[in-house]
Amino acid sequence: MLRPGNRNFAIAQAPGIPGGLISGGAGLIYHGTTDWELDEGDEAGWTAISPVNDSIIYRAWRYAINVTRSNNRGGSYTAGSLLNGGGGIFIFEPGAWNAPMIMAPSNPSVLFLARQKILKSADGSDSWSTISGVLDNNYATAMAMSWNGIDTLYVGTAPMATSAHIFRSTNGGSAWQNVTGSLPNRVPLDLAVDPFNAAIVSSKKISRAACS
């Protein structure tokens, strides 16, 4: 994850195969040189850096059981509101090892997390709420949203219990529409939303065999 507006600061995680079950993965921080710094985290996947204050970093743990926040560029992290029961919702639900977590580009305090259901935090991960039911019994492996608001979101799910799907919400995650159409039945590795038109999204997919 590159910090918008600062090409000399980024954070990376090495969680193994996207959507798979490989554990481990060190956090690495880039400060503009080839000497990457090892942060204090482990077994984390998706990350986000606040575009307003790049001291604030978020990272999702394996299976999305927790989201932790650093206020000092990865020097230390909070215990995480999900793991500590923040919002009263800590329940181990099925999810991909590298379950997706995104921050709203238009509001860095708003975060979304995807397992089989979608969760939302409106206060920088201090509390979370479940905002959807089970989408299709598959695990979410990709997620993206509009650059200009928090209403339009996309989630991709891997073909496990049923075929892979791409879902879209236009009301902030409360309701979801299947927009898969004729896309191949492959694992959605990444989604990208057009910054000028949230109705346009591109998907990168990989073979299911690559992460089984």
Side-chain angles (χ1 to χ4, degrees), residues 5-197:
N6 184 354
R7 296 184 178 180
N8 291 322
F9 181 62
I11 185 169
Q13 300 286 349
I17 297 176
L21 301 176
I22 294 178
S23 63
L28 301 168
I29 301 177
Y30 176 73
H31 290 287
T33 73
T34 55
D35 295 323
W36 286 70
E37 175 189 350
L38 184 67
D39 85 349
E40 72 99 44
D42 187 19
E43 294 208 350
W46 287 52
T47 59
I49 303 171
S50 170
V52 177
N53 179 359
D54 62 19
S55 292
I56 300 176
I57 298 172
Y58 301 96
R59 64 180 184 191
W61 283 25
R62 58 199 178 280
Y63 304 111
I65 62 172
N66 199 12
V67 174
T68 54
R69 181 181 67 224
S70 173
N71 295 318
N72 56 7
R73 285 190 168 193
S76 60
Y77 286 84
T78 62
S81 59
L82 287 177
L83 191 62
N84 287 343
I89 63 155
F90 176 60
I91 301 173
F92 186 86
E93 295 179 347
W97 193 98
N98 194 19
M101 182 269 303
I102 58 174
M103 177 178 60
S106 62
N107 186 343
S109 295
V110 176
L111 304 167
F112 293 91
L113 185 68
R115 300 167 174 167
Q116 284 186 325
K117 301 176 183 178
I118 311 302
L119 292 80
K120 176 183 177 181
S121 173
D123 53 16
S125 192
D126 287 336
S127 62
W128 291 82
S129 59
T130 301
I131 60 172
S132 81
V134 173
L135 297 180
D136 61 0
N137 288 309
N138 292 328
Y139 295 171
T141 54
M143 196 175 194
M145 67 182 302
S146 169
W147 287 75
N148 303 309
I150 63 171
D151 289 332
T152 302
L153 300 99
Y154 295 86
V155 171
T157 65
M160 300 179 68
T162 184
S163 299
H165 293 105
I166 304 294
F167 292 95
R168 179 180 65 186
S169 174
T170 56
N171 61 359
S174 298
W176 294 84
Q177 175 189 7
N178 181 1
V179 295
T180 309
S182 60
L183 287 175
N185 186 30
R186 299 290 185 267
V187 178
L189 182 63
D190 197 12
L191 296 170
V193 178
D194 188 310
F196 302 105
N197 185 349

